[in-house]
Amino acid sequence: MEDRPWSLLLLCFLIPFSIASICKENTTLAGFSSDLAMVQHQLRGVVRILDGCSFSVSQFDMLPGSDRVRWWGASGDSFHNLTSGFEISDMNLNHTYRNESFTVRLLPDVTWDQMSVLAVWDEPTASDFGHLLLGSNHSDLLAPIPDPSPAPSPISDQFDAPPISRRPAYSQPTMFDNCLALSPSYRLRWTLLPESNSIAIGLEAAIGTQYYMAFGWADPGAASPTMMHADVVVAGFSEEGIPFAEDYFITEYSECLLNKDGKVEGVCPDTIYEGSDPVGLVNNTKLVYGHRRDGIAFVRYERSIVSKDEKYDVHVNKTDNMTVIWALGLIRPPDTLRPYYLPQNHGGPKFTTYGFFTLNLSKEVNQCAGPLDAEDKDDQDLIISDGKTPLIVTSGPALHYPNPPNPAKVIYINKKEAPHLRVERGVPVTFSIQGGHDLALYITSDPIGGNATSRNVSETIYAGGVDAEGVPASPKELIWAPDRNTPDQVYYQSFFEQKMGWKVQVVDGGLSDMYNNSVLLDDQQVTLFWTLSPDSITIAARGEKKSSYLAIGFGSGMINSYAYIGWIDDFGIGHVNTYWIDGKDASSVRPTSENISNVRCRSENGIITFEFTRPLNPSCNGRVECKNIIDPTTPLKVIWAMGARWSADHLSEKNMHSVTSRKPVRVLLLRGSAEAEQDLRPVLAVHGFMMFIAWGILLPGGILAARYLKHVKGDSWYQIHVYLQYSGIAIVLLGVLFAAAELRGFYIGSAHVKFGVSAIVLACIQPVNAYLRPKRPANGEAPSPRRVIWEFFHAITGRFAILAGIVALFTGMKHLGNRYDSENVEGLTWALIIWFLLVSLLVLYLEYLEVQRRRKEKNSLRGNWVLGNDDDEEEDSVDLLHRKRTSTAPEYVSSTRMEVQLEPIR
């Protein structure tokens, strides 16, 4: 035990020596240097192996990838070998590199003998940014470097070279000795090749696929820089993505055309001027390499310094200062009449789309600090789904797959290889899958595909799967409807094979497609979108002018309103918070814990849009947000505000709005429209007036006629009763139609509607009841039980109908008050109360007169002879409102005729 500290000390002393000896022993590749092959993300650099444990990197350029970009080792550069490779360093390459140099140490358990390929690898997307080949027998790729030449070497002198310096027998076509920035988006690269008396030139620009890049030498004999008689090379890409580089000679500032004399003039290829002469004599540009990656076009070509073409080429002196020209612009592809590319006018300002400058090829220049970065990095074909035409899904060979490495066969959509697919939320996409039984299409969150679950990787599958496969004779139809919860980017892939598909961009091209309804709020500066569900509502708000935050509130004003505020923080992350506002200062804006979900907030050019979903009736108690209930049958008062700054907490006066709505707008959720707050909708006013006429005048008048007009001779009381009742019912039904048309539906939710429906049902029973009434009894006969039951049912339903109708009138006034300010309906409510009080007084007065009349008739029958009784047939009606049902003639009056002979007095 006492010897242990000495042994530990000795071990700590020996470990560095043992590691160093390992690094020195493994010197097979010491001094090996090679250029990294660009695959994507504009990667460039020179790698030099220092020893068995480290390597240096110089002139390193790269656009950033994910957070898991690493140095990677593999046994080969095939799809299988790269995807099954391994991490060789813990260095994280997760940012932009601009012509940087650094040293990388291998992990302790990694040696050069374990790999044949050194790559920069993005692990989450299985993407190869760039790599170099070490070879299975590393020495077969190495060749001694000759004596120093006048041309600069791509090998960096920043690090001490080993005694034996080696470099590969070839170099990558994207690497050059010199680089000059012609404009912010256009670069010229070149390397002198003295052994072949030529120059290698690389043109690199952030341009679209329909653009050209031009570079060349101006006429040495011109007094001032001009494009006339200039010798230029026009480079670009065909519609099939094939690079080209052609010699052009400029005779006019126009497209290449035949003039009246039959001569060719304009910006024309050298070959056109000489007609049928052999192309090799006049086209001295040799295309070497070209690609489009990350939105950057790159073409490498070579040309002789001293050209054989004395007429259309300028002889270049590599040690003199010479005037050169350059341009960028659109290019027209060849057609049957003019089978050559036609560069269009550059169409922009000097030094942005064209320019002149003096160049000395022999002077070293390195003005390109970092890679070019295009705004639109997607170089693949773009297919926009319109929701109507099916997308034809097949498979084919991988020619320009956008995310290498890739398998030999990839997905084609509408005959385009792995295109970038753009879809809109709310618009269904139809796929017609015809790629064979080994291609099962599915939409996934995983960028690699191939059933990520089988790789123990979590993924979300949005559509498709193992059964989504078909052949041309029997295609499989797959319909996918992206919604507001679908991420902005997903992938279409094969369920059976990795990395056959590519990206799907999910856009909000039209919020109107995602939502069932939309209205413009006050001043038309904010648009509100919504979709109703049985228990919830999804809402979106979009400002129509630039702001730092956007707020909408439910209420008549900001005070005592529930507010939803969307804003973008300093890190570009969107937020949506909920508040209860009970005052005018910042301290009165109180955050709530309202249950909102599916929250999204974004800003496009300063225009803020936010979305959320919330329950119609919050399930909570005791908190202020629990009262924030949305009733779809009642208009929702909505206000808005915008401002210059918002934060999650510590609100101050700076957070207050800079512009706001002047008045709330009533949003009719069920109808999908809006109305000004102070406006009384004419249709609803007509509905209320018609219901008052029916339940306040006609139907009660019909009942009063049956009660108090029976003593009038004849059946006029009965006619009045029937006509008033039928008229009242007709007006009630018509008023219901007016309300249903206004609200675009019939919804039983409020107390007003419930009482109204009850009254209408009871009123409509009366005509049916009258049609089914039993036969009246004959004079002197007792009524049948069915007749008695009918009479009581008729009276009771009539009384309850009137009662329900009157309650419906008053609840309707209350409902109207909820839709409009109380002062607009308060006077109407009091008028209704006074009316029914007057009707009640009239009923009391009529009841008093009826009692007096009955008493008088009773006394008259007791003390006087009945002079006569017309044996007229009794009307088939009874006094249904009297508590004692009686026939028209009193029971004690004899039904026989009595006659008295009166003789005159003499």
Side-chain angles (χ1 to χ4, degrees):
M1 297 295 295
E2 294 179 358
D3 294 336
R4 179 170 295 176
W6 290 100
S7 60
L8 289 175
L9 180 62
L10 180 62
L11 181 63
C12 294
F13 181 75
L14 292 178
I15 284 176
F17 284 94
S18 62
I19 293 176
S21 63
I22 292 174
C23 293
K24 289 180 180 179
E25 288 173 6
N26 193 350
T27 57
T28 305
L29 293 178
F32 171 79
S33 179
S34 180
D35 301 334
L36 283 165
M38 178 194 297
V39 178
Q40 51 185 321
H41 283 250
Q42 299 302 297
L43 181 139
R44 284 188 177 89
V46 179
V47 172
R48 176 188 293 170
I49 296 178
L50 302 177
D51 50 43
C53 298
S54 62
F55 61 94
S56 67
V57 182
S58 59
Q59 305 174 39
F60 188 64
D61 288 350
M62 190 185 74
L63 296 175
S66 72
D67 292 335
R68 289 284 300 167
V69 182
R70 296 288 193 273
W71 289 102
W72 196 257
S75 58
D77 60 351
S78 68
F79 172 77
H80 174 74
N81 289 332
L82 282 171
T83 53
S84 59
F86 52 92
E87 189 176 320
I88 67 170
S89 171
D90 57 4
M91 181 179 181
N92 196 359
L93 305 172
N94 60 354
H95 64 273
T96 300
Y97 289 84
R98 296 179 174 86
N99 201 23
E100 298 184 27
S101 301
F102 48 85
T103 300
V104 182
R105 294 195 64 83
L106 302 181
L107 292 172
D109 56 344
V110 175
T111 64
W112 293 114
D113 295 333
Q114 296 174 319
M115 67 188 89
S116 297
V117 172
L118 174 65
V120 176
W121 185 261
D122 189 345
E123 194 170 1
T125 60
S127 298
D128 178 19
F129 286 9
H131 64 268
L132 60 85
L133 297 176
L134 301 174
S136 55
N137 180 11
H138 301 305
S139 60
D140 61 1
L141 292 176
L142 307 178
I145 292 182
D147 293 334
S149 64
S153 171
I155 301 175
S156 171
D157 0 327
Q158 216 168 350
F159 302 94
D160 295 333
I164 300 176
S165 181
R166 302 181 179 184
R167 73 178 182 186
Y170 65 95
S171 61
Q172 299 298 337
T174 57
M175 297 296 294
F176 293 84
D177 295 342
N178 305 279
C179 184
L180 179 65
L182 304 179
S183 76
S185 60
Y186 190 18
R187 291 178 177 178
L188 168 70
R189 299 179 183 270
W190 76 92
T191 296
L192 285 172
L193 305 173
E195 62 274 8
S196 61
N197 194 32
S198 61
I199 179 175
I201 295 177
L203 303 180
E204 183 181 34
I207 55 175
T209 56
Q210 296 83 26
Y211 280 70
Y212 69 86
M213 300 175 289
F215 172 77
W217 276 262
D219 182 5
S224 59
T226 177
M227 288 190 177
M228 292 295 295
H229 304 108
D231 171 24
V232 298
V233 169
V234 176
F237 292 84
S238 68
E239 293 176 307
E240 293 77 24
I242 300 173
F244 65 85
E246 296 287 341
D247 252 354
Y248 276 67
F249 189 74
I250 302 175
T251 55
E252 290 290 342
Y253 292 123
S254 65
E255 284 187 4
C256 187
L257 295 170
L258 286 172
N259 60 20
K260 295 180 181 180
D261 299 332
K263 295 182 179 180
V264 176
E265 60 183 16
V267 182
C268 302
D270 290 2
T271 54
I272 300 302
Y273 291 108
E274 293 301 322
S276 61
D277 283 0
V279 173
L281 295 179
V282 290
N283 183 18
N284 296 303
T285 297
K286 177 185 176 182
L287 175 68
V288 177
Y289 175 80
H291 69 228
R292 277 195 60 88
R293 290 172 186 165
D294 312 305
I296 307 298
F298 173 82
V299 174
R300 177 175 180 142
Y301 63 92
E302 294 181 6
R303 63 154 290 169
S304 299
I305 293 178
V306 179
S307 174
K308 297 179 181 180
D309 185 358
E310 300 285 344
K311 191 172 183 179
Y312 302 110
D313 285 351
V314 172
H315 294 289
V316 177
N317 190 325
K318 61 184 179 182
T319 60
D320 283 352
N321 293 333
M322 300 188 67
T323 301
V324 294
I325 64 173
W326 62 270
L328 298 171
L330 289 168
I331 192 167
R332 184 180 299 175
D335 53 36
T336 55
L337 297 178
R338 291 177 289 183
Y340 43 83
Y341 288 96
L342 297 171
Q344 307 298 295
N345 188 283
H346 43 74
K350 192 175 182 180
F351 305 124
T352 300
T353 60
Y354 78 100
F356 307 87
F357 65 96
T358 301
L359 179 65
N360 189 325
L361 294 175
S362 61
K363 292 185 178 180
E364 295 186 11
V365 179
N366 188 6
Q367 294 182 359
C368 306
L372 282 177
D373 192 359
E375 292 184 4
D376 183 7
K377 296 182 175 60
D378 201 325
D379 293 315
Q380 291 301 103
D381 291 317
L382 175 64
I383 293 180
I384 300 176
S385 173
D386 60 5
K388 299 177 182 178
T389 307
L391 302 176
I392 309 300
V393 179
T394 57
S395 61
L399 303 176
H400 305 287
Y401 186 74
N403 185 31
N406 48 269
K409 187 170 69 172
V410 297
I411 293 175
Y412 280 65
I413 297 181
N414 291 354
K415 299 182 179 181
K416 295 182 178 180
E417 178 189 356
H420 188 162
L421 183 60
R422 181 180 296 167
V423 301
E424 289 188 9
R425 293 182 174 90
V427 180
V429 183
T430 302
F431 298 94
S432 178
I433 306 170
Q434 308 174 15
H437 298 297
D438 58 344
L439 170 58
L441 185 74
Y442 78 125
I443 309 299
T444 172
S445 61
D446 184 66
I448 302 176
N451 187 12
T453 307
S454 63
R455 309 192 313 271
N456 296 322
V457 176
S458 62
E459 70 174 338
T460 301
I461 297 177
Y462 300 95
V466 66
D467 297 326
E469 47 89 7
V471 295
S474 179
K476 173 71 174 182
E477 186 178 87
L478 173 65
I479 299 177
W480 171 45
D483 57 24
R484 67 184 61 86
N485 301 321
T486 307
D488 292 341
Q489 181 170 293
V490 292
Y491 302 85
Y492 63 91
Q493 295 285 1
S494 170
F495 198 80
F496 301 129
E497 182 77 30
Q498 296 180 11
K499 298 188 72 174
M500 288 186 66
W502 192 223
K503 296 178 182 178
V504 181
Q505 181 185 8
V506 185
V507 300
D508 294 340
L511 285 173
S512 57
D513 292 329
M514 300 166 54
Y515 291 87
N516 295 339
N517 310 281
S518 65
V519 295
L520 281 169
L521 301 182
D522 182 47
D523 289 340
Q524 299 185 348
Q525 295 190 35
V526 176
T527 305
L528 182 74
F529 303 83
W530 74 93
T531 295
L532 279 171
S533 299
D535 300 318
S536 64
I537 182 173
T538 301
I539 295 175
R542 182 183 65 207
E544 302 299 334
K545 62 185 299 184
K546 294 182 179 181
S547 65
S548 293
Y549 77 83
L550 171 64
I552 60 170
F554 298 161
S556 297
M558 278 296 177
I559 300 177
N560 297 327
S561 68
Y562 299 92
Y564 300 85
I565 300 177
W567 80 98
I568 309 297
D569 63 20
D570 296 335
F571 302 98
I573 300 174
H575 302 270
V576 178
N577 275 13
T578 63
Y579 300 87
W580 162 251
I581 304 176
D582 59 2
K584 293 185 176 181
D585 55 2
S587 62
S588 301
V589 182
R590 309 180 189 279
T592 66
S593 301
E594 188 171 344
N595 181 25
I596 61 175
S597 58
N598 302 326
V599 175
R600 300 175 71 236
C601 181
R602 62 191 179 278
S603 177
E604 298 177 359
N605 299 322
I607 301 298
I608 292 181
T609 301
F610 67 86
E611 304 169 70
F612 62 91
T613 301
R614 53 148 292 173
L616 294 174
N617 191 353
S619 57
C620 61
N621 291 308
R623 302 197 304 268
V624 66
E625 59 266 25
C626 304
K627 299 179 181 179
N628 188 13
I629 299 173
I630 295 180
D631 180 6
T633 64
T634 301
L636 183 66
K637 300 176 184 178
V638 183
I639 54 178
W640 61 265
M642 299 182 194
R645 179 176 176 79
W646 195 264
S647 57
D649 47 18
H650 306 298
L651 300 178
S652 66
E653 297 301 323
K654 295 181 180 180
N655 299 113
M656 303 307 287
H657 55 72
S658 56
V659 60
T660 183
S661 55
R662 296 173 299 174
K663 58 187 176 183
V665 168
R666 298 179 181 275
V667 179
L668 309 177
L669 298 175
L670 292 176
R671 177 176 176 177
S673 62
E675 60 185 17
E677 184 193 22
Q678 70 275 16
D679 292 341
L680 181 63
R681 300 295 288 187
V683 177
L684 293 181
V686 171
H687 166 78
F689 179 73
M690 295 175 71
M691 289 304 179
F692 169 73
I693 294 296
W695 295 107
I697 299 177
L698 298 180
L699 294 173
I703 293 177
L704 293 180
R707 168 67 176 168
Y708 301 113
L709 296 181
K710 283 189 176 181
H711 63 280
V712 179
K713 187 176 174 72
D715 61 350
S716 57
W717 71 269
Y718 181 73
Q719 299 298 328
I720 294 174
H721 171 73
V722 171
Y723 291 150
L724 290 180
Q725 299 303 90
Y726 278 108
S727 299
I729 293 174
I731 292 177
V732 165
L733 296 177
L734 189 60
V736 170
L737 293 178
F738 270 80
E742 174 68 9
L743 298 176
R744 292 189 178 180
F746 193 74
Y747 307 95
I748 300 177
S750 63
H752 168 66
V753 178
K754 291 177 181 178
F755 277 105
V757 170
S758 301
I760 293 171
V761 170
L762 293 173
C764 291
I765 288 175
Q766 295 297 71
V768 178
N769 189 29
Y771 178 78
L772 299 176
R773 63 186 174 185
K775 187 178 180 181
R776 65 177 177 81
N779 291 336
E781 293 182 3
S784 64
R786 291 180 57 190
R787 179 75 180 192
V788 174
I789 294 174
W790 176 82
E791 290 172 354
F792 277 102
F793 182 76
H794 186 67
I796 291 172
T797 53
R799 290 171 178 176
F800 275 103
I802 290 297
L803 180 61
I806 293 174
V807 175
L809 287 176
F810 282 100
T811 55
M813 286 297 176
K814 182 179 179 181
H815 192 61
L816 196 64
N818 292 332
R819 300 176 71 94
Y820 306 96
D821 286 340
S822 58
E823 59 266 23
N824 294 331
V825 297
E826 186 176 358
L828 295 176
T829 303
W830 279 109
L832 191 62
I833 293 173
I834 294 173
W835 170 259
F836 280 109
L837 287 176
L838 294 175
V839 172
S840 300
L841 292 176
L842 176 62
V843 170
L844 291 177
Y845 178 70
L846 292 176
E847 188 66 22
Y848 171 76
L849 294 180
E850 181 67 13
V851 171
Q852 294 297 322
R853 187 184 64 80
R854 289 180 183 275
R855 287 180 179 176
K856 184 176 180 181
E857 287 182 353
K858 185 175 181 181
N859 294 332
S860 174
L861 289 173
R862 286 181 179 177
N864 297 284
W865 292 96
V866 177
L867 300 178
N869 181 17
D870 295 336
D871 199 13
D872 295 337
E873 186 178 16
E874 179 193 17
E875 294 296 335
D876 193 8
S877 58
V878 292
D879 189 358
L880 299 176
L881 298 181
H882 199 277
R883 70 172 183 268
K884 292 184 178 181
R885 183 190 61 81
T886 61
S887 62
T888 304
E891 294 180 0
Y892 50 82
V893 177
S894 175
S895 61
T896 60
R897 177 177 292 238
M898 297 180 63
E899 296 183 0
V900 178
Q901 183 69 36
L902 300 178
E903 295 189 11
I905 301 174
R906 296 178 183 266

